[in-house]
Amino acid sequence: MGAVTGTTLLIYALIAVIALVILIAKYKLNPFITLVVVSVALGFAVGMPMGDIVKSFEAGVGGTLGHIALVIGLGTMLGKMMAESGGAERIALTLINFFGEKNVHWAMVVIAFIVGLPVFFEVGFVLLIPIAFNVAKRTNTSMILVGIPMVCGLSVVHGLIPPHPAALLAVQAYGADMGRTILYALIVGIPTAVIAGPLFAKLIDRHVKLPAVNPLAEQLTEEADSAKSGNLPGFGITVLTILLPVFLMLIGSWADLITTPKTFANDFLKLIGNSVMALLIATLFSFYTFGKARGFNRDMILKFTNECVAPTAIITLVVGAGGGFGRILRDSGISTAIVDVATHANVSVLVLGWLVAVMIRIATGSATVAMTTAAGIVAPIAASVPGTRPELLVLTTGAGSLILSHVNDGGFWLVKEYFNMTVAQTFKTWSVAETIISVVALLFTLALATVV
């Protein structure tokens, strides 16, 4: 516990959060470096023993990354195999044929929901953007009408549904049941994605006009057209490969219902249902379904898996630094001070999880950092409040972590550049859509809390 106490701790925490925003957004400092610097400065300012500041930060990074680094690596490899095999395009073509050209905005939110399950938002975005460009070109529709439902589908899955690393970490922090969390996340997530995606896109499409020529779209549609000459994998095998880790995790969480606890069969189901093992099995399976079966040899599969991990290094570091920042907040006593304020404010724990995630999301720009840090802060409070449903707390924390994507969020610039929008247009479309997701998911979860 630091030498500073009470309200002063909260003021220092607020200053740290504002410093994060200014350094990342205005001065364009690397988010990882910024989180390290601000965390150490905060520990020093509140009077933590100097020998403990770096130890505390390292413990936070280690605790966060021990699990997440494995999930990021395996999830990215699975996504890369899907891209190289043409599996993502197969899903797109099948769904467009099913939905029809007039309903492509519905097709895109479904594609994003399916593809987004095993991969990070950024990975899913890069996988699906050539499909979105192709769909927009083939159906002569605006990139906003096609693209906003796609990014909303990815965002909802990223923020609410395990096996995404942040949601998984929140499940562990709150002691939630994995199977129930996935079920509740689908109940909340599907209508949320529909409202923020196709419905909002249809509305905003009339008010935001994009330039007729998009250089990136021209490049990627040409590439995609030439790539289509090869035959694509089947729809069934593609969906099976992508959903395999989710099925395995569901089986793991139902192990006690299917088998007798403490038996070999029970232990085995729990082992393959562990998120890391489930992703490992699915990735190995994809080496056959998306690799050997598509005519790729071992050297090519090795090349794909090697080259796809490098871009995730900075994501991994930022996530770890977010965990370190959260640990400094806890070890310095700031979390306890927030608990005291929340207890006196008489805010429901579900709303508190949302509020804390909202503050960190706006500060750091990272939904993953917001969710993992907020879960670390709110978990001790939730444990002391009887009757809290941990599965619903995962959802409200996830919802808070998605609010108001702005200039300090990599996703903001990704959407702006690929959609060929101005900063103002990106705020009107993407930032508003993210805020709709956050608020609507909170309201749906609170409604669900009254019936479960």
Side-chain angles (χ1 to χ4, degrees), residues 88-101:
E89 193 165 349
R90 163 61 68 208
I91 292 173
L93 293 172
T94 305
L95 287 170
I96 288 159
N97 290 337
F98 179 78
F99 281 90
E101 292 198 357

Side-chain angles (χ1 to χ4, degrees), residues 164-319:
H164 273 270
L168 267 179
L169 206 88
V171 165
Q172 290 172 334
Y174 293 139
D177 175 80
M178 178 71 77
R180 272 204 295 267
T181 305
I182 292 174
L183 175 65
Y184 295 159
L186 290 171
I187 293 170
V188 168
I190 290 169
T192 300
V194 165
I195 292 166
L199 297 183
F200 172 66
K202 196 88 174 157
L203 182 74
I204 197 68
D205 184 41
R206 299 173 201 153
H207 305 289
V208 178
K209 294 290 165 229
L210 301 183
V213 177
N214 182 338
L216 268 170
E218 290 188 340
Q219 191 186 327
L220 285 169
T221 43
E222 280 168 20
E223 284 174 18
D225 286 341
S226 63
K228 267 214 300 285
S229 54
N231 59 340
L232 300 174
F235 181 72
I237 195 70
T238 304
V239 172
L240 173 67
T241 308
I242 295 165
L243 295 183
L244 182 61
V246 180
F247 291 145
L248 290 173
M249 278 187 259
L250 284 170
I251 289 168
S253 69
W254 293 333
D256 289 347
L257 298 174
I258 304 168
T259 56
T260 313
K262 303 275 192 266
T263 58
F264 174 81
N266 182 264
D267 290 344
F268 182 74
L269 289 182
K270 285 183 176 172
L271 175 67
I272 63 167
N274 173 283
S275 53
V276 172
M277 285 300 296
L279 276 166
L280 175 63
I281 291 164
T283 304
L284 291 171
F285 185 61
S286 79
F287 291 166
Y288 176 76
T289 57
F290 291 157
K292 190 170 187 296
R294 310 303 320 141
F296 294 125
N297 61 28
R298 287 176 190 174
D299 289 340
M300 292 167 91
I301 294 170
L302 178 65
K303 177 174 167 279
F304 296 152
T305 52
N306 282 347
E307 69 188 20
C308 73
V309 176
T312 65
I314 192 64
I315 297 173
T316 312
L317 284 174
V318 171
V319 171

Side-chain angles (χ1 to χ4, degrees), residues 36 49 70 87 92 100 104 124 127 131 148 151 163 182 195 230 234 242 264 267 286 314 333 336 342 383 393 409 411:
V36 177
L70 297 169
V104 287
L127 290 181
I131 297 169
I148 291 298
V151 290
I182 292 174
I195 292 166
I242 295 165
F264 174 81
D267 290 344
S286 79
I314 192 64
T336 317
L393 194 49
D409 177 16

Side-chain angles (χ1 to χ4, degrees), residues 355-374:
L355 281 171
V356 174
V358 162
M359 290 191 287
I360 299 166
R361 159 67 160 182
I362 292 170
T364 64
S366 167
T368 306
V369 171
M371 194 170 182
T372 49
T373 311

